[in-house]
Amino acid sequence: MKPPADAIIAVTHRCNSRCVTCNVWKSTEQDLLLPEHMRKLPPELATINLTGGEPFLRADLGEFVRQARARCPHARITISTNAYLVERIAEMMGGIRRIDPSIRLSVSLDGIGAAHDRVRGREGAFDAAVSLIDRLSADGFRGLRLGMTLSGANLGEFLAVAELAARRRLELGVVAAHGARTHLGIDHPPMASAIPSWLREHFQRILGGWLRSWRGKQWLRAHFAYNTYRYLAGRRWRFRCHAGSDFFFLQADGKVYSCSVQGKEMGSIITREWEEIWNSPAADEGRGAAHLCPESCWMICTARAAYRAHPVRVVAWVLGRKVLAHLRRFRLPTEVGDQDAAEETRADTPH
């Protein structure tokens, strides 16, 4: 079996947020994963996302980065944080940046001011996030990005967050909330019962700007956000999931899953070697279940796999929409059931 390209690694179950889209903070599981277990990762990995819970609650987070970088020399490593512990994170990032100067930090921002605080379940969460961004930006850190999770609790915040990211010249990744029993401890996150017309206009405005940019990353970001909008609207891509093949999820208890949503357990990285896990009957079962999974999740990991499998379709979408954006004619589908949207779905869906 070919090695995977992407890994999501939760280094802790602990969290100091109380997010409406996540119940990981309720977990009573122990953190059994240790930095030395990173030595068992497949060295071919292209991306590693260190997450949690809140990863900066682990004092040895820097050692996770050190071991992961040594084992996977070509991987792009990103740490995801709720940014609540400003002083601790700023101090730890100084050491982590010395370990890996190419490290990236994704700061969660789900709204402006009190809106972000409500989603995160912590008063002062927004001020903390902005303070951390200011601290690290002033220190010359260029690996900052923002990550926004859209749900029924914060649809109206997308435009304001995107504009904040543009003012600060930060990348913004926007994803739809997903249920994740193996990771977040929630089956069905709060979603909107219907997509309001103003949200379509907000997406259209932001995506059009990204497509008019001359930065290739922004074009792919527009494509990803476009399909995030479609996921929210109930028009999911129907593609064969590559969970357990192109990517995997490693939980803080040491168990490897095919994915973080409905993934099958494949083995423990604490007690077994990687090749033994990856080529086991349990791993084959996980891959088989992913191929048949009806969820069609649209997350970073599934998108990367889809992009690798269907590069021509993605490039064609980008080029076509980029022309429309420059002509100020880029439009998103309107109603879920209308004929134009149905035809566009069939045209854009990889097979």
Side-chain angles (χ1 to χ4, degrees), residues 127-284:
D127 290 340
V130 171
S131 178
L132 180 64
I133 291 167
D134 288 341
R135 286 276 298 271
L136 294 179
S137 296
D139 197 32
F141 180 49
R142 302 304 179 196
L144 272 175
R145 67 188 300 270
L146 300 181
M148 183 179 192
T149 301
L150 279 175
S151 72
N154 67 338
L155 293 180
E157 295 296 307
F158 173 53
L159 181 62
V161 172
E163 290 175 342
L164 182 150
R167 288 195 303 272
R168 291 176 174 267
R169 298 184 178 181
L170 296 174
E171 296 179 8
L172 171 65
V174 55
V175 299
H178 287 66
R181 290 194 298 272
T182 60
H183 178 30
L184 305 181
I186 189 168
D187 283 331
H188 301 289
M191 299 298 291
S193 57
I195 297 299
S197 59
W198 51 258
L199 183 64
R200 173 178 173 268
E201 294 169 1
H202 290 179
F203 264 85
Q204 202 163 272
R205 174 176 168 181
I206 297 303
L207 270 60
W210 289 352
L211 286 165
R212 286 190 294 273
S213 165
W214 291 105
R215 296 177 58 204
K217 280 187 177 182
Q218 292 291 69
W219 309 342
L220 287 177
R221 189 163 291 112
H223 182 272
F224 182 86
Y226 168 76
N227 281 285
T228 297
Y229 170 83
R230 283 180 47 179
Y231 183 91
L232 289 165
R235 284 192 301 277
R236 304 182 183 186
W237 268 24
R238 299 298 176 185
F239 55 86
R240 173 174 287 190
C241 181
H242 293 272
S245 300
D246 278 26
F247 61 92
F248 66 91
F249 170 64
L250 175 57
Q251 182 58 287
D253 59 5
K255 294 176 182 176
V256 179
Y257 292 88
S258 50
C259 80
S260 63
V261 178
Q262 296 194 30
K264 299 291 185 180
E265 183 182 340
M266 302 164 71
S268 173
I269 203 169
I270 295 174
T271 60
R272 303 173 70 183
E273 296 301 319
W274 180 258
E275 291 297 327
E276 183 184 0
I277 296 171
W278 200 240
N279 296 298
S280 67
D284 289 337

Side-chain angles (χ1 to χ4, degrees), residues 21-341:
T21 54
C22 172
N23 285 331
V24 70
W25 54 274
K26 296 180 180 179
S27 175
T28 58
E29 298 291 330
Q30 287 186 299
D31 295 341
L32 302 178
L33 198 64
L34 298 174
E36 52 261 38
H37 296 135
M38 299 299 96
R39 301 172 192 167
K40 294 185 177 182
L41 294 176
E44 299 87 353
L45 284 175
T47 70
I48 298 172
N49 180 12
L50 297 178
T51 183
E54 170 51 45
F56 284 94
L57 290 175
R58 290 206 60 150
D60 56 357
L61 180 60
E63 282 304 306
F64 274 93
V65 174
R66 186 189 306 277
Q67 297 294 345
R69 170 55 66 218
R71 177 64 174 172
C72 308
H74 304 296
R76 183 180 64 189
I77 303 176
T78 301
I79 304 172
S80 298
T81 180
N82 61 26
Y84 199 74
L85 301 173
V86 178
E87 295 298 328
R88 179 184 177 91
I89 295 171
E91 181 179 349
M92 291 178 67
M93 279 301 296
I96 289 172
R97 289 168 62 190
R98 288 190 289 272
I99 293 170
D100 183 1
S102 66
I103 196 74
R104 288 161 41 109
L105 185 71
S106 179
V107 174
S108 296
L109 197 65
D110 294 326
I112 303 299
H116 177 72
D117 293 359
R118 285 194 299 272
V119 173
R120 291 281 150 177
R122 290 294 300 263
E123 185 177 348
F126 176 78
D127 290 340
V130 171
S131 178
L132 180 64
I133 291 167
D134 288 341
R135 286 276 298 271
L136 294 179
S137 296
D139 197 32
F141 180 49
R142 302 304 179 196
L144 272 175
R145 67 188 300 270
L146 300 181
M148 183 179 192
T149 301
L150 279 175
S151 72
N154 67 338
L155 293 180
E157 295 296 307
F158 173 53
L159 181 62
V161 172
E163 290 175 342
L164 182 150
R167 288 195 303 272
R168 291 176 174 267
R169 298 184 178 181
L170 296 174
E171 296 179 8
L172 171 65
V174 55
V175 299
H178 287 66
R181 290 194 298 272
T182 60
H183 178 30
L184 305 181
I186 189 168
D187 283 331
H188 301 289
M191 299 298 291
S193 57
I195 297 299
S197 59
W198 51 258
L199 183 64
R200 173 178 173 268
E201 294 169 1
H202 290 179
F203 264 85
Q204 202 163 272
R205 174 176 168 181
I206 297 303
L207 270 60
W210 289 352
L211 286 165
R212 286 190 294 273
S213 165
W214 291 105
R215 296 177 58 204
K217 280 187 177 182
Q218 292 291 69
W219 309 342
L220 287 177
R221 189 163 291 112
H223 182 272
F224 182 86
Y226 168 76
N227 281 285
T228 297
Y229 170 83
R230 283 180 47 179
Y231 183 91
L232 289 165
R235 284 192 301 277
R236 304 182 183 186
W237 268 24
R238 299 298 176 185
F239 55 86
R240 173 174 287 190
C241 181
H242 293 272
S245 300
D246 278 26
F247 61 92
F248 66 91
F249 170 64
L250 175 57
Q251 182 58 287
D253 59 5
K255 294 176 182 176
V256 179
Y257 292 88
S258 50
C259 80
S260 63
V261 178
Q262 296 194 30
K264 299 291 185 180
E265 183 182 340
M266 302 164 71
S268 173
I269 203 169
I270 295 174
T271 60
R272 303 173 70 183
E273 296 301 319
W274 180 258
E275 291 297 327
E276 183 184 0
I277 296 171
W278 200 240
N279 296 298
S280 67
D284 289 337
E285 181 182 350
R287 286 186 277 269
H291 290 338
L292 300 175
C293 181
E295 290 297 315
S296 295
C297 300
W298 188 248
M299 302 181 293
I300 298 297
C301 49
T302 53
R304 286 195 183 111
Y307 290 169
R308 295 187 189 105
H310 306 281
V312 175
R313 290 183 181 273
V314 176
V315 170
W317 185 95
V318 168
L319 293 179
R321 274 34 175 220
K322 185 169 177 61
V323 170
L324 291 175
H326 280 285
L327 295 174
R328 307 286 174 170
R329 294 175 57 191
F330 173 71
R331 298 291 183 271
L332 288 171
T334 51
E335 299 301 323
V336 173
D338 73 19
Q339 187 63 29
D340 290 342

